[in-house]
Amino acid sequence: MSVPDPLRTVVAVAVYWTAIALGGSVLLPDPTSPLVALPVIGGGAVVAHAARTDRLVPLGYAVGTMWLAVLALTVGTGVVDVVGTPDGEIAPLADYPVPAALGTVGLFGVLLVAYAAFVRRSAERDASESE
């Protein structure tokens, strides 16, 4: 049994938008912060663009890249916590407003740059296949 393409697109859009909203706002200490609009609304715009231009596969790679950046921030913060402070008692990164804001903007920037790179790579591959 195959799934119709419109249903696949709707599911992919919902999954990618949720992944962007959650990953982009992971550093925010307050989920009601106005800065949460960046990953939610910005992520919605990126997902809408990808769905409209049939670029959901490059978007999937970009979302994965953003989540790798989330993992790198998490591991990096843990290493600083263990190695950088002898007592191992630094507050979570989200407790500081400036790093949390910069991290949120940075994660969204990672998403945009990765999406643009994967779209360009896909377009170049499509152009070389049509020659």
Side-chain angles (χ1 to χ4, degrees):
M1 180 173 137
S2 67
V3 178
D5 282 341
L7 181 59
R8 260 188 237 169
T9 301
V10 167
V11 170
V13 164
V15 168
Y16 290 152
W17 195 5
T18 302
I20 292 168
L22 290 175
S25 61
V26 73
L27 295 176
L28 295 175
D30 181 16
T32 62
S33 166
L35 195 55
V36 80
L38 180 65
V40 172
I41 295 172
V46 173
V47 171
H49 177 269
R52 212 172 35 250
T53 60
D54 196 29
R55 297 290 187 192
L56 288 172
V57 173
L59 178 63
Y61 289 124
V63 170
T65 303
M66 183 190 75
W67 274 96
L68 284 174
V70 169
L71 177 64
L73 278 171
T74 304
V75 170
T77 302
V79 167
V80 168
D81 188 25
V82 171
V83 176
T85 58
D87 299 333
E89 295 196 17
I90 65 170
L93 191 59
D95 286 348
Y96 302 106
V98 172
L102 291 175
T104 299
V105 172
L107 287 173
F108 190 71
V110 166
L111 174 75
L112 290 179
V113 169
Y115 178 60
F118 286 118
V119 164
R120 183 172 0 121
R121 181 177 175 213
S122 176
E124 288 171 357
R125 185 179 32 204
D126 291 346
S128 69
E129 287 177 359
S130 65
E131 291 178 354

